[in-house]
Amino acid sequence: MFVSLSRAQSLANSTPPELAEAHTEATPTQDDQRLLLVSIFIIAGCSLIYELLISSLSTYLLGSGVVHYSITIGLFLFFMGVGSWLAQYVREDLLDTFVKIEIALGLVGGLSAVLLYAAYAWTQYYYPAMLVVIATISTLVGMEIPLLTRVIERGRGIRQGLSDVLATDYVGALAASLLFPFILLPYLGHLLTAFAIGAVNLLVALVVLWHFRKHLKQASLWLSGGLVAAALLVLGTYFTPSFTQILERALYQDPVIFSTQSPYQKVVMTERGNDLRLFLNGSLQFSSQDEYRYHEALIHLPASHSRTLERALIIGGGDGLAARELLRYPSLKQIQLVDLDAAVTDLGRDLHKLRDLNKDALHNPKVVVNNDDAWRWLERDGDLFDVIIIDLPDPDTADIARLYTVEFYRKIARRLSVGGVMITQASSPWLERNAFWCIASTLDKVFENASAVYSNVPSFGPWGYVMASNTPFEKQRKIPEGTRYITESAWQFTLEHPADLPPLELKANHLQTLPLMQYYAEGYQALQTGEYE
């Protein structure tokens, strides 16, 4: 849609008074026009896919999805405008110029993902590289449609020609918007998607070139150039597994033992010695060396304070490690686990080394796995739970930040039994102090009692959680035997508030404003620059 809006604005100005230009090219026949409209449909889809590809890749590598989608869309629109403006200076040989643009676009677009991965992995200049790639692709995209429009107008007139071009462009963009998230990204990943779409651009160029070969200058030369570019992309496709391994070795410190692109995120597991690590979209989720410190604090504080303990709900936690800790309590009869991404829960069930770590928790008959959006699932399910565990990634995107809002916590409160306790991970109270206390302030708006919980996880540093209930906190049962960090004799230290991190009064996180995202982004930026307090 964004692609088409830019074109709609630019096409009105793409036909200057000089359109009565002294072209020597023949008026296109009906067959010629149909071929060009099909080409517009295809290249409109390719253009939008490049936009989505760069946005999602930048989000995967650097987080902040809203920021990167906004930046990418804005830059695409701007440089497409530049391309549309430049197109007016092409006065003749319109199809020749279009073919050249398509060959260049296919080559640059096809290599875009590799170039951006390499810029991130081996240089400090990802954003300059991103700018150059976007500027090149979108300027070429901005030129191609005005050129074809002017050719089609010769046979259909400006009114019908412009309407047909824009209608075809809109439909192509819609097709691409569905194709990318449901087929291309999940099944091909970033690299293969870029190669495939680049090849489609080249195919369009070659078909147009062959169809109009009698009317084009140097047709044989550009046919050879298009075939060479296509051969490069095919070669790149063949070596994609090797490229992936090289880039992942550069992105991750340890050898990668599992990697997949799900419809929602990039899932990677690494291993060095006895250290097994899970990464989602490049962010560390746990290290097997110290994950017990994180999960024992997350589970045993609410479980030991809940009035009864028969039914539990875990939101997130698809690796099975939170379920492992809950299964230490014999009184538990059922654990509902809701995790959006089947790729993560499948990993927790199937990867032998992760099964050893979670003690086959996801194969336990007490654990029911639901691959669903937590928001929707809570609206459908009406059961009450004695303990609710929210084990989600940090709120760096709107999709995740909405699960830290007043509105979401109200849904949680309605699912707590009398005397029940919920807890959520809340990021680092040291490095993400504002985000931490924003989550606490949000829970204060919903529950009668909320308490900060602290842990120290070497892989993450100081870590925090917020526990909440509508009844006073009273310890109801002992910590199970066999824990390594939270023990019956030393559980209270997790509730002791550090003197150098006094509570902050911050805005609650609401669905309409999501200030938590801004707090988290500010903390992340401060960490990157070394300017945090």
Side-chain angles (χ1 to χ4, degrees), residues 17 32 61-62 64 75 81 84 139 194-195 216 233 276 302 335 445 491 533:
D32 295 339
L61 294 174
L62 297 164
S64 302
L75 289 173
S84 297
T139 299
F195 285 134
L216 302 182
L233 294 187
L276 189 68
I335 299 171
K445 296 288 186 182
W491 63 270
E533 297 181 0

Side-chain angles (χ1 to χ4, degrees), residues 5-22:
L5 287 175
S6 175
R7 286 174 179 157
Q9 294 168 347
S10 62
L11 285 176
N13 298 319
S14 68
T15 311
E18 296 86 350
L19 186 57
E21 42 197 342

Side-chain angles (χ1 to χ4, degrees), residues 171-480:
V171 175
L174 172 62
S177 69
L178 299 174
L179 192 64
F180 181 78
F182 296 116
I183 297 178
L184 293 177
L185 189 59
Y187 294 103
L188 299 184
H190 290 103
L191 293 184
L192 276 178
T193 294
F195 285 134
I197 300 306
V200 170
N201 275 126
L202 291 175
L203 180 62
V204 169
L206 294 174
V207 169
V208 170
L209 192 155
W210 181 258
H211 183 83
F212 292 97
R213 62 191 181 280
K214 295 180 180 179
H215 306 285
L216 302 182
K217 298 177 180 179
Q218 298 180 315
S220 59
L221 174 63
W222 290 110
L223 179 62
S224 301
L227 291 174
V228 169
L232 287 174
L233 294 187
V234 170
L235 195 62
T237 301
Y238 178 78
F239 284 106
T240 293
S242 300
F243 289 153
T244 301
Q245 291 178 5
I246 292 170
L247 292 168
E248 286 182 342
R249 280 199 297 268
L251 291 174
Y252 301 97
Q253 296 178 351
D254 302 330
V256 175
I257 63 170
F258 177 86
S259 177
T260 188
Q261 174 67 57
S262 80
Y264 309 103
Q265 59 200 340
K266 182 75 171 181
V267 182
V268 172
M269 289 214 71
T270 68
E271 183 182 37
R272 185 178 296 278
N274 294 323
D275 189 7
L276 189 68
R277 297 186 173 214
L278 172 65
F279 295 85
L280 299 180
N281 277 347
S283 297
L284 177 65
Q285 303 303 302
F286 73 77
S287 163
S288 61
Q289 298 285 62
D290 54 24
E291 56 78 18
Y292 64 91
R293 285 175 164 251
Y294 172 91
H295 290 101
E296 288 182 9
L298 179 71
I299 299 301
H300 297 303
L301 264 294
S304 63
H305 282 72
S306 176
R307 185 175 300 175
T308 56
L309 189 59
E310 294 185 353
R311 303 189 77 251
L313 169 65
I314 301 173
I315 295 176
D319 51 37
L321 299 176
R324 176 199 67 196
E325 293 301 316
L326 275 175
L327 288 169
R328 292 178 182 271
Y329 294 91
S331 63
L332 266 174
K333 296 178 180 178
Q334 187 184 70
I335 299 171
Q336 291 282 348
L337 189 151
V338 181
D339 193 303
L340 178 64
D341 199 345
V344 179
T345 54
D346 288 347
L347 191 67
R349 275 190 290 230
D350 300 335
L351 188 69
H352 178 70
K353 293 179 179 180
L354 186 51
R355 288 178 61 181
D356 288 344
L357 189 63
N358 67 32
K359 299 188 184 301
D360 261 345
L362 299 188
H363 287 272
N364 192 296
K366 292 183 179 181
V367 179
V368 179
V369 175
N370 306 273
N371 292 123
D372 202 348
D373 177 81
W375 193 287
R376 292 196 301 265
W377 190 88
L378 286 170
E379 289 177 341
R380 290 195 303 268
D381 187 270
D383 293 333
L384 299 181
F385 299 93
D386 304 311
V387 170
I388 298 180
I389 311 297
I390 303 179
D391 184 18
L392 294 168
D394 287 336
D396 61 344
T397 67
D399 282 345
I400 300 175
R402 72 190 179 101
L403 304 181
Y404 289 83
T405 58
V406 167
E407 293 81 358
F408 183 71
Y409 291 146
R410 284 175 181 158
K411 295 179 183 294
I412 294 294
R414 288 196 290 268
R415 295 292 181 265
L416 272 180
S417 61
V418 176
V421 181
M422 65 80 65
I423 192 170
T424 179
Q425 84 85 16
S427 195
S428 171
W430 181 265
L431 301 177
E432 291 287 353
R433 188 179 174 201
N434 286 350
F436 177 81
W437 287 110
C438 175
I439 295 171
S441 297
T442 305
L443 284 165
D444 270 334
K445 296 288 186 182
V446 179
F447 293 92
E448 294 181 12
N449 298 288
S451 177
V453 178
Y454 302 91
S455 181
N456 195 343
V457 185
S459 295
F460 299 144
W463 208 254
Y465 321 78
V466 183
M467 185 168 66
S469 178
N470 282 321
T471 57
F473 292 121
E474 292 184 11
K475 195 161 182 296
Q476 304 289 329
R477 61 191 55 79
K478 292 183 177 181
I479 304 295

Side-chain angles (χ1 to χ4, degrees), residues 25-38:
E25 297 160 281
T27 299
T29 65
Q30 288 294 321
D31 287 341
D32 295 339
Q33 295 171 45
R34 279 193 286 269
L35 173 63
L36 294 178
L37 286 173
V38 170

